[in-house]
Amino acid sequence: MGEASGIRLDGVSKQFEARGQTTEALRSVSLDCAPGSFTALIGPSGCGKSTILRLALGLEAADSGEVAVGGLTPAAATRSGITGVAFQDAALLPWRSVEHNIALPLDVLGLKRVDFRDKIAELIALVGLKGFEHALPAELSGGMRQRVAIARALVTAPQVLFLDEPFGALDQILRRQMNIELQRIWMESRATTLLVTHGIDEAIFLADRVVVMASRPGRIVREIAIDLPRPRRPELFADPVFHRLEAEIAGALDGH
């Protein structure tokens, strides 16, 4: 992969109308994610975390302000294949095998699957699913389905990766294992990554920076640098430095 591209939101505001009510999802949000960085967004439900991702993916349009991904508009970035995305729901096609689910973005972009045969095999090995190439989603555990979703997000070798609560439906033990796996995968890909999470421990373990949001209106209230060496190991969860960062982020959340 070449050098990753950044993500930039500049003074972005967004409102939604429903049943005669106006919800101010985001107010004047500015966020700059440097190329190759890993940023975690954390905040209460309804604070606009997922709205930021949807704007950056071109699924919604901002009412005001600018959004750029790799120097392109979000829609252009998505069309060019420089972005990848994984959501909480793996959303695999039940009739497609593991390797054919991973190939789905190639089909959408009109790319020849045969040209990516080696890449798909490499990703299957990377996410620890070697031997399951021909398995259907119903034959996989929840954690394995999420691994397929992450491999699918990486198949176009994206420069920018968006993750919206990718492990939110998993139990705590499996979630920790997946955090370790995701860090390993990210250290190989070095894609600029923006993770939405409700887990303070997950945000600290994975990110270079944690961005704390508050709701009504959705806005950024704090940015906390996570200056911990990589690779980060499971013992880190018990480290006093880790606990101090947890307390700092929890305090920022409680203060709003």
Side-chain angles (χ1 to χ4, degrees), residues 87-94 101 104 137 145-146 148-149 152:
F87 296 103
Q88 180 171 338
D89 180 351
L92 305 182
L93 298 179
N101 264 292
L104 183 61
R145 287 194 292 271
Q146 281 306 110
V148 177
R152 181 180 60 194

Side-chain angles (χ1 to χ4, degrees), residues 1-7 32-40 69-70 82 158-161 183 185-194 206-209 230 232:
M1 175 185 300
E3 185 183 352
S5 301
I7 306 164
D32 201 345
C33 301
S37 64
F38 197 127
T39 301
V69 178
I82 69 164
Q159 297 174 25
V160 183
L161 186 60
Q183 177 190 225
I185 291 164
W186 176 79
M187 289 182 73
E188 288 203 26
S189 75
R190 291 293 178 176
T192 308
T193 300
L194 186 58
L206 287 169
D208 304 318
R209 173 181 57 157
R230 295 185 189 273
R232 297 170 187 167

